[in-house]
Amino acid sequence: MAAQPLLPLFKYSTIKEISDSGDLSSLPSCYSCRGPDIDGPTETLEEEVPIIDFSLLVGGTAKQRTQVIQDLGKACRDWGFFMVVNHGVPKSLMETMLNACMGFFNMREDVKQEYNGKHVFDPISHGTSFNSSVDNVRYWRDYLKVIVHPHFHSPAKPSGFRETSIEYATQTREMAKELLKAIWESLELKPEDMEEALDLNSCFQILVTNLYPPCPQPELALGIPPHSDHGLLTILLENGVNGLKVEHNGKWVHVKSLPNSFLVNTGDHMEIVSNGKYKSVVHQAEVNASSTRISIATAVGPSLDTVVVPAPQLVKHKHQLAYKGMKYRDFREHTQANPRQVKSLLDLLRLHN
């Protein structure tokens, strides 16, 4: 079935509107982005991703904590990705957060348009696709991005969103800090040095909710193209509908999350600060024809004014330095202003000794 032209879309501003309209039986050509020219692996595997028991990290015996730290190091080195269970975040809070986000997307389009953002550091930003100002194709995704730390922001509607999101952001940020401390230890670095290197008390945290409505031809579309995340860690919550794929050993792995779990991936700044020991993982979001998928990504990075460089303890000789530094704020602005080519900016910072 041939993809449809762009013409029917002039009256729609979001993917949700397009999907809800029922006007389309095939995919508009501007959303057709799957094919042999897409970079990255093509084969998809079913593999078990590493699982981290958070309760043993924060409340287990010394021996159990040591084992979890070793497991985290291996997951970061071999995968750049892992699943967290027994994390202590109440299931009721996770469900309420998902419902609050769905409540936002269910509001009238004219209400949501109040938050249509133009700049990467807009406190609240609602939009569609991936980076529509520079992308050549469009992606089957609507999003809400909210900066929640070091200064907390929230849309005024729907009712209860602010209260739920501030609690959710706080709990996931504390989880991220514990994971980062353990990852730091897995590199045989002192946890107290982490704060000085990354200024985590003023860490930049953004809450990104992704909505992937049913798509008429999911085999031709993507929700989000292959990419790596900025920052240190991204903690992902799903609504029970799978769609995440991560790259592992040159193949795509379809991730199936366990109930009441979080999916965590390493970001570009984890790769930089670890001097390349831990790689940021490339991943993508797929869509389907029958179910709406929601994911909530909590990305935690260093302070925006931190110049992130490899930890000096990991660079024994000058020729071993893998990356030059860049202020985190500049990194994010550059990423927003240019088409994203998987790890394009990280490649610019990589030193070839």
Side-chain angles (χ1 to χ4, degrees), residues 125-287:
S125 178
H126 168 253
T128 189
S129 196
F130 187 60
N131 189 356
S132 57
S133 62
V134 294
D135 287 336
N136 293 323
V137 297
R138 298 181 70 82
Y139 298 96
W140 201 260
R141 168 226 194 191
D142 295 335
Y143 64 80
L144 170 66
K145 298 180 181 180
V146 185
I147 296 174
V148 292
H149 198 267
H151 304 290
F152 178 80
H153 303 274
S154 172
K157 297 177 181 180
S159 175
F161 189 100
R162 179 182 180 86
E163 293 77 12
T164 300
S165 60
I166 195 169
E167 180 64 22
Y168 183 83
T170 299
Q171 294 209 27
T172 51
R173 183 168 64 252
E174 292 308 309
M175 185 203 313
K177 285 185 176 181
E178 288 293 339
L179 291 170
L180 286 168
K181 185 190 304 182
I183 292 170
W184 202 255
E185 289 184 59
S186 76
L187 290 164
E188 300 182 353
L189 300 173
K190 295 178 180 179
E192 57 266 26
D193 293 337
M194 180 177 65
E195 176 57 41
E196 180 179 350
L198 302 173
D199 191 11
L200 290 183
N201 282 335
S202 299
C203 70
F204 181 81
Q205 181 187 10
I206 187 168
L207 197 70
V208 183
T209 302
N210 302 299
L211 182 78
Y212 307 102
C215 177
Q217 289 182 293
E219 71 278 5
L220 298 179
L222 279 173
I224 298 181
H227 69 288
S228 60
D229 290 345
H230 60 79
L232 297 163
L233 291 179
T234 299
I235 297 172
L236 188 77
L237 172 64
E238 299 179 310
N239 67 333
V241 179
N242 296 318
L244 178 67
K245 283 187 176 181
V246 298
E247 186 178 346
H248 179 59
N249 291 334
K251 310 290 184 184
W252 286 119
V253 174
H254 181 73
V255 179
K256 296 181 179 179
S257 58
L258 295 173
N260 197 34
S261 67
F262 287 104
L263 303 174
V264 182
N265 67 266
T266 54
D268 291 340
H269 286 76
M270 178 63 72
E271 183 165 336
I272 293 172
V273 78
S274 70
N275 201 40
K277 287 181 177 289
Y278 296 159
K279 306 295 185 184
S280 58
V281 67
V282 175
H283 53 290
Q284 66 179 18
E286 298 200 325
V287 294

Side-chain angles (χ1 to χ4, degrees), residues 71-89:
D71 293 343
L72 266 173
K74 188 174 189 302
C76 290
R77 182 180 65 252
D78 297 346
W79 282 79
F81 184 84
F82 51 90
M83 189 182 310
V84 176
V85 298
N86 300 326
H87 42 70
V89 179

Side-chain angles (χ1 to χ4, degrees), residues 66-108:
T66 298
Q67 184 60 54
V68 174
I69 290 173
Q70 291 176 357
D71 293 343
L72 266 173
K74 188 174 189 302
C76 290
R77 182 180 65 252
D78 297 346
W79 282 79
F81 184 84
F82 51 90
M83 189 182 310
V84 176
V85 298
N86 300 326
H87 42 70
V89 179
K91 181 180 180 181
S92 58
L93 176 60
M94 298 164 72
E95 292 175 345
T96 303
M97 189 70 230
L98 285 165
N99 290 334
C101 291
M102 192 69 242
F104 177 88
F105 289 114
N106 281 337
M107 293 194 302
R108 297 194 324 267

Side-chain angles (χ1 to χ4, degrees), residues 291-331:
S291 301
T292 294
R293 177 172 181 254
I294 299 177
S295 68
I296 303 174
T298 307
V300 176
S303 162
L304 287 175
D305 292 321
T306 298
V307 177
V308 182
V309 296
Q313 302 91 323
L314 301 178
V315 185
K316 296 180 181 179
H317 305 286
K318 186 176 180 181
H319 72 273
Q320 294 179 337
L321 186 68
Y323 297 96
K324 59 185 177 181
M326 174 184 269
K327 187 179 290 189
Y328 185 40
R329 182 189 305 275
D330 296 341
F331 189 102

